[in-house]
Amino acid sequence: QAVGGLIGTLGSSLITSGAAGGIFGFSDIRLKDNVKLIKKLDSGISLFSWDWNDLSKKLGVNSRRVKGVIAQDVKKYYPDLVFKDLKTGFYRVNTWKALLI
């Protein structure tokens, strides 16, 4: 149920988030405050909620999505789903693949 709700949230954010989000959304923990664990999936990846911090807003990478994965967590289990954005230096994640594993 938690994953289903999250996928719905992610789906709507893909439509509205544009270049700053999308499938390869900014998921770096350094851009988030008040990170709280929602659920740990069987794959090892955890789902979190958060607030975007001032740095994310300054960079324009904050989106409406405030639930999902944290890049540093995904990287421990599936490093091929995480990459560093060359422009900002922050991690991005292929969120759809991370949730569907």
Side-chain angles (χ1 to χ4, degrees), residues 3 6 10 22-29 32 35-39 41 43-50 52 65-75 77-78 81-82 91-100:
V3 174
L6 180 62
L10 290 173
I23 293 173
F24 294 97
F26 282 94
S27 297
D28 198 304
I29 196 164
K32 301 171 180 184
V35 176
K36 295 178 184 154
L37 177 67
I38 296 173
K39 181 177 182 169
L41 303 176
S43 65
I45 295 173
S46 296
L47 303 177
F48 298 91
S49 65
W50 63 83
W52 291 103
R65 181 171 50 93
V66 293
K67 294 179 184 174
V69 298
I70 301 289
Q72 287 83 346
D73 180 60
V74 174
K75 192 173 181 185
Y77 302 98
Y78 303 97
L81 300 181
V82 179
Y91 289 117
R92 297 180 79 149
V93 172
N94 184 329
T95 304
W96 284 110
K97 278 191 176 182
L99 291 175
L100 296 175

Side-chain angles (χ1 to χ4, degrees), residues 51-69:
D51 296 319
W52 291 103
N53 65 24
D54 290 338
L55 179 56
S56 71
K57 294 171 186 171
K58 189 177 193 180
L59 292 171
V61 299
N62 60 312
S63 69
R64 293 174 33 165
R65 181 171 50 93
V66 293
K67 294 179 184 174
V69 298

